[in-house]
Amino acid sequence: MYRIRLFAVRHARSFEWIYKCVERVMVALDPLFSRIGYNRVERPVAMIEKGVKTLLFDCKMCGQCVLSSTGMSCPMNCPKQLRNGPCGGVRDGGYCEVKPDMKCVWVLAWDGASRMKEGARKIREVLPPVEHTLKGSSSWLRVSREKAGQMRESQNAARVTLAKAFPEARLQEPAAAPLSVEPPKATQAESER
């Protein structure tokens, strides 16, 4: 398992690309997951995620995957489970103070991040502490649901902006499918005319 973890760090850039592809697929599947119900797809997706990520990264299924921020080196493999950098006890050669035969997870994280396209920026971001209630859940589903929600919000914001910019267009030719909920000024303008 340890050798595969080292392989993943050495090939962090390739895994970064694969991760982005998986994320795009999961976001594209959001309408299907919403229709089926995220609660129903959670267990099978989490099983697949656990199988893949346990093999490649020795994943502990914390439910808040940060591999793309830590050079494809899972910080949950740290005996102290530190999420924002190494402890003060890293031994000579970059080895762990608790497990002397293992390279420090954060030494590997910096190495992997240096190989990634966005790694140098992402590894410097401060990560939130682990929320233990998410343990065992699929971080793929959580992230894709959040990204799909952000996309919907941005699309809706553009529609609202358009509706606010052209309120008189509704009076001239009402749409069968409105752009969005009528802003208060547009409905007020209709009632005054």
Side-chain angles (χ1 to χ4, degrees):
M1 201 58 86
Y2 183 64
R3 286 185 179 182
I4 296 174
R5 277 176 35 202
L6 295 177
F7 173 83
V9 170
R10 280 193 308 272
H11 296 88
R13 186 161 187 146
S14 299
F15 283 108
E16 177 185 34
W17 180 80
I18 292 168
Y19 233 70
K20 286 182 180 183
C21 290
V22 168
E23 184 178 285
R24 281 192 292 256
V25 167
M26 295 296 284
V27 169
L29 290 173
D30 175 67
L32 176 67
F33 292 154
S34 294
R35 197 170 298 130
I36 294 171
Y38 272 94
N39 292 338
R40 289 183 179 167
V41 296
E42 173 70 38
R43 182 181 248 164
V45 172
M47 284 176 40
I48 294 168
E49 182 177 348
K50 182 178 183 178
V52 170
K53 287 170 47 179
T54 299
L55 174 68
L56 294 173
F57 311 108
D58 198 14
C59 176
K60 306 297 183 213
M61 288 299 287
C62 68
Q64 302 148 85
C65 188
V66 292
L67 286 169
S68 62
S69 298
T70 59
M72 297 297 157
S73 176
C74 180
M76 298 307 288
N77 289 315
C78 171
K80 297 179 182 181
Q81 296 185 351
L82 299 175
R83 299 278 279 193
N84 285 301
C87 66
V90 179
R91 295 174 186 255
D92 289 337
Y95 288 91
C96 177
E97 77 171 339
V98 177
K99 294 181 178 179
D101 57 328
M102 180 180 93
K103 278 272 201 183
C104 172
V105 170
W106 283 98
V107 170
L108 295 174
W110 279 95
D111 181 35
S114 70
R115 299 167 192 262
M116 295 170 69
K117 193 174 186 178
E118 298 176 23
R121 177 185 57 82
K122 284 187 164 186
I123 199 162
R124 286 177 166 71
E125 294 174 3
V126 176
L127 301 171
V130 177
E131 188 177 324
H132 293 287
T133 59
L134 297 174
K135 187 171 177 67
S137 66
S138 171
S139 63
W140 289 352
L141 277 179
R142 187 180 52 76
V143 169
S144 65
R145 186 181 332 168
E146 288 172 3
K147 293 230 176 189
Q150 290 170 354
M151 287 173 54
R152 278 192 300 274
E153 285 177 16
S154 66
Q155 289 170 347
N156 195 34
R159 290 178 180 158
V160 168
T161 302
L162 187 62
K164 286 180 180 178
F166 301 102
E168 58 278 343
R170 304 264 184 192
L171 298 172
Q172 294 170 3
E173 190 173 329
L179 295 172
S180 68
V181 178
E182 290 292 326
K185 282 188 175 182
T187 54
Q188 189 177 23
E190 286 178 16
S191 62
E192 290 175 1
R193 290 184 184 187

